[in-house]
Amino acid sequence: KNEVEQSPQNLTAQEGEFITINCSYSVGISALHWLQQHPGGGIVSLFMLSSGKKKHGRLIATINIQEKHSSLHITASHPRDSAVYICAVRDDKIIFGKGTRLHILP
Amino acid sequence: KAGVTQTPRYLIKTRGQQVTLSCSPISGHRSVSWYQQTPGQGLQFLFEYFSETQRNKGNFPGRFSGRQFSNSRSEMNVSTLELGDSALYLCASSLVVRYNEQFFGPGTRLTVL
């Protein structure tokens, strides 16, 4: 069993829909990161969380430390949100999920 | 402020050769981490440096090594290249280790023939 599990693996939605991507982990962590990777490889760090909830524009990230679970939400999704979203947890080392490939249709 | 830069961006090598990749962090950042990304394994942690010291290392063979210089620039070296080393190699910098946001470079795409 992977130490970091993301779901779904792939998601296709219509523009405007509310999107949720989930991340569950089985190890102790000091922080959890959500990353965005566009075709071509560039990675952007979206959030770093150790507790609670963070919001940036249309993106919201939450974490429940007791349940070892985090969610990334995208409100009013747009085709430019199409990318791979990667959850990563770290304590001494960083462990990545396999990513969720999101495709938003216009 | 300039972002993280990596050189070269693309590299083609043959099996058995060695390769050196370079990463220049954001000015003022003292921590540099290296990652390997492949279609099969996804992103995997290689190593992390802070103030010229390796702080953590991932589960990669000894053919993979790195170092950090006094100006925080970092290099990673892969010796005796294998076909399976073909990957996107990413570096990321942060102010300090563990608790800071990481800023990623564009990556070096290595192809081993």
PDB file of all heavy atoms in Angstrom, chain B residues 93-109:
ATOM      1  N   SER B  93      13.969  24.877  -4.344  1.00  0.00           N
ATOM      2  CA  SER B  93      14.668  25.587  -3.279  1.00  0.00           C
ATOM      3  C   SER B  93      13.675  26.145  -2.273  1.00  0.00           C
ATOM      4  O   SER B  93      12.503  26.389  -2.582  1.00  0.00           O
ATOM      5  CB  SER B  93      15.560  26.700  -3.839  1.00  0.00           C
ATOM      6  OG  SER B  93      14.807  27.836  -4.235  1.00  0.00           O
ATOM      7  N   SER B  94      14.146  26.315  -1.055  1.00  0.00           N
ATOM      8  CA  SER B  94      13.347  26.930  -0.004  1.00  0.00           C
ATOM      9  C   SER B  94      14.288  27.648   0.949  1.00  0.00           C
ATOM     10  O   SER B  94      15.501  27.433   0.929  1.00  0.00           O
ATOM     11  CB  SER B  94      12.503  25.891   0.743  1.00  0.00           C
ATOM     12  OG  SER B  94      13.321  24.916   1.349  1.00  0.00           O
ATOM     13  N   LEU B  95      13.693  28.492   1.791  1.00  0.00           N
ATOM     14  CA  LEU B  95      14.528  29.278   2.713  1.00  0.00           C
ATOM     15  C   LEU B  95      15.296  28.367   3.652  1.00  0.00           C
ATOM     16  O   LEU B  95      16.501  28.496   3.813  1.00  0.00           O
ATOM     17  CB  LEU B  95      13.648  30.242   3.511  1.00  0.00           C
ATOM     18  CG  LEU B  95      13.212  31.505   2.768  1.00  0.00           C
ATOM     19  CD1 LEU B  95      12.155  32.248   3.561  1.00  0.00           C
ATOM     20  CD2 LEU B  95      14.400  32.415   2.508  1.00  0.00           C
ATOM     21  N   VAL B  96      14.567  27.461   4.285  1.00  0.00           N
ATOM     22  CA  VAL B  96      15.186  26.479   5.173  1.00  0.00           C
ATOM     23  C   VAL B  96      14.525  25.134   4.894  1.00  0.00           C
ATOM     24  O   VAL B  96      13.649  25.029   4.052  1.00  0.00           O
ATOM     25  CB  VAL B  96      15.031  26.859   6.666  1.00  0.00           C
ATOM     26  CG1 VAL B  96      15.844  28.097   6.980  1.00  0.00           C
ATOM     27  CG2 VAL B  96      13.572  27.064   7.021  1.00  0.00           C
ATOM     28  N   VAL B  97      14.918  24.119   5.603  1.00  0.00           N
ATOM     29  CA  VAL B  97      14.347  22.796   5.354  1.00  0.00           C
ATOM     30  C   VAL B  97      13.010  22.638   6.056  1.00  0.00           C
ATOM     31  O   VAL B  97      12.662  23.395   6.935  1.00  0.00           O
ATOM     32  CB  VAL B  97      15.318  21.683   5.806  1.00  0.00           C
ATOM     33  CG1 VAL B  97      16.621  21.768   5.050  1.00  0.00           C
ATOM     34  CG2 VAL B  97      15.550  21.732   7.300  1.00  0.00           C
ATOM     35  N   ARG B  98      12.271  21.668   5.618  1.00  0.00           N
ATOM     36  CA  ARG B  98      11.071  21.103   6.234  1.00  0.00           C
ATOM     37  C   ARG B  98       9.839  21.975   6.274  1.00  0.00           C
ATOM     38  O   ARG B  98       8.794  21.579   5.855  1.00  0.00           O
ATOM     39  CB  ARG B  98      11.349  20.618   7.664  1.00  0.00           C
ATOM     40  CG  ARG B  98      12.162  19.369   7.743  1.00  0.00           C
ATOM     41  CD  ARG B  98      12.350  18.918   9.151  1.00  0.00           C
ATOM     42  NE  ARG B  98      11.172  18.228   9.645  1.00  0.00           N
ATOM     43  CZ  ARG B  98      11.161  17.494  10.743  1.00  0.00           C
ATOM     44  NH1 ARG B  98      12.250  17.356  11.456  1.00  0.00           N
ATOM     45  NH2 ARG B  98      10.063  16.920  11.152  1.00  0.00           N
ATOM     46  N   TYR B  99       9.920  23.178   6.816  1.00  0.00           N
ATOM     47  CA  TYR B  99       8.695  23.898   7.098  1.00  0.00           C
ATOM     48  C   TYR B  99       8.391  25.026   6.128  1.00  0.00           C
ATOM     49  O   TYR B  99       7.496  25.804   6.342  1.00  0.00           O
ATOM     50  CB  TYR B  99       8.721  24.439   8.529  1.00  0.00           C
ATOM     51  CG  TYR B  99       8.750  23.334   9.542  1.00  0.00           C
ATOM     52  CD1 TYR B  99       9.920  23.062  10.240  1.00  0.00           C
ATOM     53  CD2 TYR B  99       7.639  22.546   9.779  1.00  0.00           C
ATOM     54  CE1 TYR B  99       9.972  22.036  11.157  1.00  0.00           C
ATOM     55  CE2 TYR B  99       7.678  21.520  10.692  1.00  0.00           C
ATOM     56  CZ  TYR B  99       8.835  21.260  11.377  1.00  0.00           C
ATOM     57  OH  TYR B  99       8.882  20.249  12.275  1.00  0.00           O
ATOM     58  N   ASN B 100       9.172  25.110   5.077  1.00  0.00           N
ATOM     59  CA  ASN B 100       8.973  26.189   4.121  1.00  0.00           C
ATOM     60  C   ASN B 100       8.473  25.692   2.778  1.00  0.00           C
ATOM     61  O   ASN B 100       8.769  24.578   2.369  1.00  0.00           O
ATOM     62  CB  ASN B 100      10.278  26.957   3.902  1.00  0.00           C
ATOM     63  CG  ASN B 100      10.592  27.873   5.056  1.00  0.00           C
ATOM     64  OD1 ASN B 100      11.540  27.660   5.766  1.00  0.00           O
ATOM     65  ND2 ASN B 100       9.781  28.899   5.240  1.00  0.00           N
ATOM     66  N   GLU B 101       7.735  26.568   2.104  1.00  0.00           N
ATOM     67  CA  GLU B 101       7.276  26.284   0.756  1.00  0.00           C
ATOM     68  C   GLU B 101       8.482  26.089  -0.165  1.00  0.00           C
ATOM     69  O   GLU B 101       9.496  26.779  -0.042  1.00  0.00           O
ATOM     70  CB  GLU B 101       6.429  27.444   0.250  1.00  0.00           C
ATOM     71  CG  GLU B 101       5.878  27.268  -1.145  1.00  0.00           C
ATOM     72  CD  GLU B 101       5.110  28.484  -1.605  1.00  0.00           C
ATOM     73  OE1 GLU B 101       5.120  29.515  -0.887  1.00  0.00           O
ATOM     74  OE2 GLU B 101       4.513  28.428  -2.689  1.00  0.00           O
ATOM     75  N   GLN B 102       8.349  25.132  -1.071  1.00  0.00           N
ATOM     76  CA  GLN B 102       9.412  24.887  -2.033  1.00  0.00           C
ATOM     77  C   GLN B 102       9.051  25.516  -3.373  1.00  0.00           C
ATOM     78  O   GLN B 102       7.892  25.490  -3.800  1.00  0.00           O
ATOM     79  CB  GLN B 102       9.625  23.391  -2.213  1.00  0.00           C
ATOM     80  CG  GLN B 102      10.214  22.712  -0.985  1.00  0.00           C
ATOM     81  CD  GLN B 102      10.778  21.349  -1.299  1.00  0.00           C
ATOM     82  OE1 GLN B 102      10.215  20.606  -2.068  1.00  0.00           O
ATOM     83  NE2 GLN B 102      11.911  21.034  -0.696  1.00  0.00           N
ATOM     84  N   PHE B 103      10.045  26.040  -4.055  1.00  0.00           N
ATOM     85  CA  PHE B 103       9.885  26.631  -5.379  1.00  0.00           C
ATOM     86  C   PHE B 103      10.670  25.762  -6.361  1.00  0.00           C
ATOM     87  O   PHE B 103      11.873  25.559  -6.194  1.00  0.00           O
ATOM     88  CB  PHE B 103      10.391  28.063  -5.392  1.00  0.00           C
ATOM     89  CG  PHE B 103       9.585  28.976  -4.515  1.00  0.00           C
ATOM     90  CD1 PHE B 103       9.838  29.060  -3.159  1.00  0.00           C
ATOM     91  CD2 PHE B 103       8.555  29.737  -5.048  1.00  0.00           C
ATOM     92  CE1 PHE B 103       9.071  29.883  -2.339  1.00  0.00           C
ATOM     93  CE2 PHE B 103       7.800  30.572  -4.237  1.00  0.00           C
ATOM     94  CZ  PHE B 103       8.055  30.636  -2.889  1.00  0.00           C
ATOM     95  N   PHE B 104       9.954  25.270  -7.373  1.00  0.00           N
ATOM     96  CA  PHE B 104      10.550  24.295  -8.281  1.00  0.00           C
ATOM     97  C   PHE B 104      11.162  24.964  -9.503  1.00  0.00           C
ATOM     98  O   PHE B 104      10.644  25.959 -10.023  1.00  0.00           O
ATOM     99  CB  PHE B 104       9.492  23.299  -8.749  1.00  0.00           C
ATOM    100  CG  PHE B 104       9.121  22.286  -7.700  1.00  0.00           C
ATOM    101  CD1 PHE B 104       8.244  22.621  -6.688  1.00  0.00           C
ATOM    102  CD2 PHE B 104       9.663  21.015  -7.726  1.00  0.00           C
ATOM    103  CE1 PHE B 104       7.888  21.696  -5.715  1.00  0.00           C
ATOM    104  CE2 PHE B 104       9.318  20.075  -6.766  1.00  0.00           C
ATOM    105  CZ  PHE B 104       8.430  20.419  -5.758  1.00  0.00           C
ATOM    106  N   GLY B 105      12.239  24.364  -9.981  1.00  0.00           N
ATOM    107  CA  GLY B 105      12.809  24.749 -11.255  1.00  0.00           C
ATOM    108  C   GLY B 105      12.085  24.050 -12.387  1.00  0.00           C
ATOM    109  O   GLY B 105      11.214  23.206 -12.151  1.00  0.00           O
ATOM    110  N   PRO B 106      12.440  24.373 -13.647  1.00  0.00           N
ATOM    111  CA  PRO B 106      11.743  23.798 -14.802  1.00  0.00           C
ATOM    112  C   PRO B 106      12.140  22.355 -15.078  1.00  0.00           C
ATOM    113  O   PRO B 106      11.458  21.666 -15.839  1.00  0.00           O
ATOM    114  CB  PRO B 106      12.180  24.702 -15.952  1.00  0.00           C
ATOM    115  CG  PRO B 106      13.514  25.211 -15.522  1.00  0.00           C
ATOM    116  CD  PRO B 106      13.442  25.359 -14.031  1.00  0.00           C
ATOM    117  N   GLY B 107      13.223  21.901 -14.488  1.00  0.00           N
ATOM    118  CA  GLY B 107      13.643  20.518 -14.666  1.00  0.00           C
ATOM    119  C   GLY B 107      14.655  20.324 -15.781  1.00  0.00           C
ATOM    120  O   GLY B 107      14.783  21.165 -16.691  1.00  0.00           O
ATOM    121  N   THR B 108      15.380  19.233 -15.690  1.00  0.00           N
ATOM    122  CA  THR B 108      16.273  18.770 -16.758  1.00  0.00           C
ATOM    123  C   THR B 108      15.747  17.430 -17.230  1.00  0.00           C
ATOM    124  O   THR B 108      15.591  16.505 -16.427  1.00  0.00           O
ATOM    125  CB  THR B 108      17.717  18.596 -16.254  1.00  0.00           C
ATOM    126  OG1 THR B 108      18.256  19.855 -15.896  1.00  0.00           O
ATOM    127  CG2 THR B 108      18.583  17.956 -17.336  1.00  0.00           C
ATOM    128  N   ARG B 109      15.441  17.358 -18.527  1.00  0.00           N
ATOM    129  CA  ARG B 109      14.955  16.083 -19.063  1.00  0.00           C
ATOM    130  C   ARG B 109      16.146  15.295 -19.589  1.00  0.00           C
ATOM    131  O   ARG B 109      16.781  15.701 -20.556  1.00  0.00           O
ATOM    132  CB  ARG B 109      13.921  16.304 -20.155  1.00  0.00           C
ATOM    133  CG  ARG B 109      13.258  14.989 -20.576  1.00  0.00           C
ATOM    134  CD  ARG B 109      11.986  15.197 -21.362  1.00  0.00           C
ATOM    135  NE  ARG B 109      10.930  15.839 -20.613  1.00  0.00           N
ATOM    136  CZ  ARG B 109      10.117  15.224 -19.761  1.00  0.00           C
ATOM    137  NH1 ARG B 109      10.267  13.932 -19.520  1.00  0.00           N
ATOM    138  NH2 ARG B 109       9.172  15.896 -19.149  1.00  0.00           N
TER     139      ARG B 109
END
